[in-house]
Amino acid sequence: MLSKKEKYILNVIKYFPIIIILITALTTSYLFLNEHEKHYQKELQQVKDKFIQSQELKIKNEVDKIYEYIDFHKKNNESLIKIYVKEQVNEAYNILNGLYNKYKTTKTKNEIIEMYKASLRKMRFFNNRGYFYVYDMKGNNIFHGLMPFIEGHSMLYHRDITGKEIIKSMINGLKKKTEIYDEWYWHEPNSKEIKRKIGYHKLFKPYNIFVGSGEYVEDFENELKQRIIKYISSIKYINRYITILDYKGNIIIADNKELIGKNIFKKDKKNKEIYEKVFFLAKAGENYTDFDDSTIFNNTKFKHVKLFVKGYNDWHWAIISAFYTDALKNDINSRIILLKQDDHRVLINFALIVGILCLIMIVLSFYITKFLEKSFFSYQKKILKEIKINREKDNMIAQQSKMAAMGEMIANIAHQWRQPLSVISTAVTGLKFEKELGILEDKNFIRGMDSIHESVIHLSKTIDDFRNFFKPNKNKTIFNLKDVVDKTLKLLNSQFNINEIYFVKNIENIKLHGLENELIQVLINILNNSRDELKKVAEDRFIFIDIKRVDDKAKFTIKDTAGGISTNIIKNIFDPYFTTKGEEGTGIGLYMSKQIIENSFKGTIEAKNSTFTYKDKEFRGAEFIMTFDISN
């Protein structure tokens, strides 16, 4: 005979999902079909806009990459000079060191230096700009690859155009370290212009002389520009091009190679205003612009161009990438045709999916509710039959315990179904409300359908979890204790979440041999007792589950923060029909748990009160300790 509460729960499980499924299907279908055309037109416009925006982003990314490439090499220009100059000086130093080691016992210092000068005399590098020089630490020139006429003369007080005493600065630096970098201004051999120079000097201690060389920053940077121009010119893009102009209008890089080196203000005077605008944007930083292109750069049949320009002000360069918007019409139209085809398929698929999904959910709901009814009545009949056949106390207690567990499980089913059913109801109400306001969008509709679908899957998964617990399996198997804990917490999850009870787990990977469902029943009994006591605690409601291997045993510990068991009754808690819950308790849960542990698993179980610390806070609570033989 079912109680009113049990009948109510079964009726809710049986009919409510079907009603929700039908209402949801009808509502969402109506809203979707009414709003579809409006959103479809909006999506067409978005396709056009997004395609143009994607092209704009591409040309910006192209220009940004070129800018970053130039800027990286520009900023590392002087570092490269130092590396190259140091390599040359080290080579010259090694020549001197080699001559010294070879002839120091057979030749004089002057003879070795003369041999050294002869080896350096014709050495040139950096496109014939680079040469070596050698000084002693008093400032006297011993060797100069470019100006041999100063050899033998003191250059200690020679100054550059800034007033810097060049040789004296080198000597002062080498007194502190045996190799240094320095910079000064010097005549460039080809142009005879005075330019900034970076040098490297290394002291040869045996003779107290140093060898050095340098490179002109401007000349090295010009060579760097040519390498960068060559690299950028080699980059190819589809339907787009990179152009670089200097701020004077000289064409540095262009798709049409014949224009390189020309001046746009002289070559294309009629478009002077366009070029001036481009240079204005470049000097200001970066920006987009568009116009009807009749410039010398347009060698296509298209007219309207979208352009992105970014200025590299250190070199007075304007970096440009562009595309023709009218060249994209065919691509956009192709995408729109595909969108229309996809839209037609969406409508057909939507109708099929809604119909199939409704059918599946209704069948699934019917199957689940029938299964629950069948399982419930099946267990009820078994219990009645066992009571009738065998009136012995142990069997009667076992059946009563199972019935109590079933009552707990049905309550947990109701709790765990409440949340997904609430989600389904909320999704339907939200979709209906948005439709009434005329603001329902496809993405909101799809999100609502997904939410309903996920909730139905959750309902099905919940039933599977409880079905596995009720499965009448009397065959012993090898199972993992971690899986047992996970399955138990799934069954009880809702009750503990409602009461804000949190689990702290520390579980090793240990396997046992026995009836898995019986051990789950033991855990349910212990955890439900902890739950009932923790509900009386104002805060810090924790249950600690610890499983570890001790020698050849598995030690399974469960403890809580509920304050512990009264010392007057702790020795009686495993007695049959002993309870502190009045009419609400059966007094058989812990008794049956002890019987299962000792008889089915040949293990032990004990209870005690313990005091422990968690997160720097001291707690007191009941602790149940179970030990088992570990399965090999």
Side-chain angles (χ1 to χ4, degrees):
M1 190 68 179
L2 297 176
S3 67
K4 290 183 179 179
K5 186 175 181 180
E6 290 169 335
K7 289 180 179 178
Y8 173 76
I9 292 173
L10 289 176
N11 286 332
V12 168
I13 294 173
K14 184 185 296 184
Y15 300 113
F16 188 72
I18 297 175
I19 294 171
I20 291 298
I21 290 167
L22 294 175
I23 292 175
T24 301
L26 293 173
T27 303
T28 53
S29 299
Y30 174 78
L31 294 175
F32 178 79
L33 294 174
N34 277 275
E35 295 295 323
H36 176 73
E37 183 61 26
K38 181 175 67 176
H39 292 292
Y40 172 69
Q41 293 299 327
K42 183 178 180 181
E43 192 171 355
L44 288 179
Q45 186 60 44
Q46 287 176 347
V47 166
K48 298 175 184 177
D49 295 341
K50 286 180 179 179
F51 194 78
I52 295 295
Q53 290 171 4
S54 69
Q55 298 302 310
E56 291 176 351
L57 183 60
K58 284 182 181 179
I59 62 173
K60 184 181 186 303
N61 288 339
E62 290 163 3
V63 170
D64 285 341
K65 288 178 181 177
I66 297 297
Y67 181 94
E68 290 167 3
Y69 178 82
I70 294 171
D71 192 54
F72 172 80
H73 287 283
K74 168 67 172 63
K75 289 179 178 177
N76 287 277
N77 185 50
E78 295 189 6
S79 297
L80 289 174
I81 292 175
K82 290 180 178 180
I83 292 170
Y84 293 155
V85 172
K86 182 177 181 179
E87 288 176 352
Q88 298 297 329
V89 172
N90 282 336
E91 183 178 343
Y93 179 90
N94 291 335
I95 293 173
L96 176 57
N97 191 51
L99 291 172
Y100 173 76
N101 290 330
K102 185 175 182 180
Y103 297 110
K104 63 182 177 181
T105 58
T106 59
K107 294 184 182 294
T108 66
K109 172 182 176 181
N110 288 336
E111 287 175 330
I112 291 174
I113 289 177
E114 286 302 318
M115 293 172 63
Y116 183 50
K117 290 165 62 176
S119 65
L120 297 183
R121 185 70 65 185
K122 294 184 179 180
M123 292 182 68
R124 292 289 185 274
F125 43 92
F126 293 140
N127 289 331
N128 213 38
R129 298 188 304 274
Y131 56 87
F132 297 109
Y133 46 80
V134 181
Y135 286 88
D136 64 22
M137 291 297 285
K138 294 181 179 179
N140 298 311
N141 181 267
I142 296 173
F143 168 78
H144 199 288
L146 184 64
M147 299 185 297
F149 55 84
I150 69 170
E151 293 175 7
H153 296 280
S154 174
M155 300 294 288
L156 184 64
Y157 300 106
H158 181 76
R159 300 172 183 268
D160 65 7
I161 59 173
T162 67
K164 179 178 181 178
E165 293 177 330
I166 303 171
I167 308 303
K168 191 173 183 179
S169 173
M170 297 175 187
I171 293 171
N172 289 336
L174 289 168
K175 286 179 180 178
K176 300 175 182 177
K177 294 192 295 185
T178 58
E179 48 187 283
I180 62 168
Y181 290 103
D182 203 352
E183 61 178 71
W184 63 95
Y185 287 84
W186 198 262
H187 290 88
E188 199 272 324
N190 296 325
S191 66
K192 305 302 181 183
E193 294 180 5
I194 297 175
K195 298 179 179 179
R196 179 168 167 259
K197 197 170 188 180
I198 293 177
Y200 178 78
H201 312 98
K202 192 166 186 176
L203 178 66
F204 187 71
K205 288 185 177 180
Y207 290 164
N208 205 29
I209 63 177
F210 66 90
V211 60
S213 183
E215 168 62 332
Y216 298 95
V217 176
E218 182 181 336
D219 292 343
F220 193 85
E221 189 171 278
N222 286 335
E223 291 182 356
L224 173 65
K225 287 181 181 179
Q226 295 306 312
R227 291 196 298 273
I228 288 174
I229 290 170
K230 182 177 180 181
Y231 168 75
I232 296 173
S233 298
S234 68
I235 301 174
K236 302 298 181 184
Y237 298 99
I238 300 175
N239 297 328
R240 292 187 302 281
Y241 55 88
I242 289 289
T243 301
I244 297 181
L245 313 172
D246 68 20
Y247 291 171
K248 294 180 181 179
N250 297 313
I251 303 172
I252 299 171
I253 295 176
D255 185 51
N256 184 352
K257 306 303 180 185
E258 295 179 359
L259 296 177
I260 296 175
K262 303 291 192 304
N263 186 283
I264 55 173
F265 291 116
K266 295 179 180 178
K267 189 77 174 175
D268 192 11
K269 296 180 180 179
K270 65 178 182 179
N271 289 301
K272 179 181 178 182
E273 290 184 1
I274 291 176
Y275 299 131
E276 287 178 343
K277 181 180 180 181
V278 169
F279 288 134
F280 174 80
L281 296 175
K283 292 175 184 178
E286 63 181 43
N287 214 326
Y288 290 96
T289 186
D290 62 305
F291 50 85
D292 288 334
D293 187 10
S294 60
T295 68
I296 56 175
F297 295 98
N298 187 4
N299 57 0
T300 71
K301 62 180 180 179
F302 304 110
K303 280 295 181 183
H304 192 76
V305 68
K306 186 79 175 186
L307 177 148
F308 181 79
V309 59
K310 187 169 188 174
Y312 191 73
N313 292 325
D314 286 352
W315 288 353
H316 297 158
W317 282 7
I319 308 167
I320 303 165
S321 183
F323 67 91
Y324 290 96
T325 56
D326 40 355
L328 303 176
K329 288 181 179 179
N330 290 335
D331 291 332
I332 293 174
N333 289 335
S334 297
R335 294 197 177 199
I336 290 175
I337 290 172
L338 292 175
L339 180 63
K340 290 180 178 179
Q341 293 173 349
D342 290 340
D343 180 70
H344 182 67
R345 286 194 293 269
V346 166
L347 290 173
I348 295 174
N349 292 336
F350 172 78
L352 290 174
I353 290 171
V354 169
I356 294 171
L357 188 60
C358 286
L359 182 61
I360 291 173
M361 289 191 293
I362 290 171
V363 172
L364 180 64
S365 175
F366 178 79
Y367 169 76
I368 291 170
T369 54
K370 284 296 181 183
F371 172 78
L372 286 174
E373 287 181 307
K374 183 178 178 181
S375 298
F376 183 83
F377 289 118
S378 174
Y379 275 97
Q380 188 182 50
K381 289 179 181 179
K382 286 182 180 180
I383 292 171
L384 293 174
K385 183 178 180 180
E386 289 296 324
I387 292 174
K388 185 177 179 180
I389 293 174
N390 193 342
R391 306 289 298 179
E392 293 181 0
K393 182 180 67 175
D394 289 345
N395 288 339
M396 180 180 66
I397 293 174
Q399 298 307 321
Q400 290 176 344
S401 176
K402 201 69 175 180
M403 285 296 291
M406 284 179 59
E408 289 285 344
M409 292 305 101
I410 292 174
N412 283 328
I413 292 174
H415 279 288
Q416 294 199 31
W417 273 47
R418 192 168 294 151
Q419 175 62 23
L421 290 175
S422 177
V423 170
I424 292 172
S425 178
T426 302
V428 172
T429 304
L431 290 172
K432 181 179 180 182
F433 181 72
E434 289 185 17
K435 169 58 184 170
E436 291 174 350
L437 295 179
I439 59 172
L440 180 64
E441 296 182 357
D442 286 355
K443 62 181 182 181
N444 291 337
F445 165 72
I446 293 171
R447 184 174 65 243
M449 290 297 293
D450 288 344
S451 177
I452 293 169
H453 181 247
E454 290 170 2
S455 297
V456 172
I457 291 175
H458 179 72
L459 294 176
S460 176
K461 182 65 172 61
T462 301
I463 293 305
D464 288 339
D465 293 338
F466 288 102
R467 179 176 61 183
N468 291 333
F469 173 69
F470 284 119
K471 189 178 295 182
N473 186 2
K474 291 299 181 182
N475 297 321
K476 292 186 176 182
T477 60
I478 295 176
F479 57 88
N480 195 307
L481 285 177
K482 183 179 183 302
D483 294 336
V484 170
V485 173
D486 290 341
K487 291 178 180 179
T488 305
L489 296 185
K490 277 186 178 180
L491 297 174
L492 303 177
N493 185 52
S494 62
Q495 290 288 334
F496 286 83
N497 287 343
I498 290 171
N499 292 288
E500 297 181 343
I501 298 172
Y502 305 100
F503 290 89
V504 180
K505 295 182 287 186
N506 182 22
I507 302 174
E508 293 183 10
N509 190 26
I510 300 175
K511 294 181 179 179
L512 293 184
H513 181 253
L515 297 174
E516 184 180 16
N517 278 353
E518 287 196 354
L519 185 55
I520 291 175
Q521 184 178 345
V522 171
L523 298 186
I524 289 172
N525 290 333
I526 296 173
L527 293 176
N528 280 341
N529 285 339
S530 291
R531 177 200 64 199
D532 293 338
E533 294 302 314
L534 284 169
K535 285 160 63 174
K536 304 173 184 177
V537 177
E539 58 183 10
D540 293 329
R541 299 173 177 175
F542 295 107
I543 295 177
F544 300 83
I545 299 177
D546 185 87
I547 301 176
K548 62 183 178 181
R549 184 188 301 266
V550 180
D551 298 328
D552 59 342
K553 301 284 187 180
K555 185 177 181 180
F556 195 139
T557 304
I558 301 174
K559 60 186 177 182
D560 57 39
T561 58
I565 305 170
S566 173
T567 55
N568 298 328
I569 64 170
I570 193 168
K571 63 182 179 179
N572 305 117
I573 62 174
F574 291 112
D575 293 342
Y577 302 111
F578 180 85
T579 180
T580 61
K581 301 177 183 178
E583 295 181 357
E584 295 180 1
T586 62
I588 59 175
L590 291 179
Y591 172 76
M592 281 306 306
S593 297
K594 183 177 178 66
Q595 298 303 308
I596 290 171
I597 296 298
E598 293 179 350
N599 298 331
S600 296
F601 289 90
K602 306 303 179 185
T604 63
I605 182 170
E606 62 174 315
K608 65 178 183 178
N609 292 320
S610 65
T611 302
F612 54 95
T613 302
Y614 177 65
K615 291 186 177 179
D616 299 327
K617 188 173 181 179
E618 187 173 273
F619 296 96
R620 177 176 172 81
E623 182 176 4
F624 287 82
I625 302 170
M626 296 170 279
T627 58
F628 308 92
D629 290 327
I630 296 177
S631 174
N632 293 321

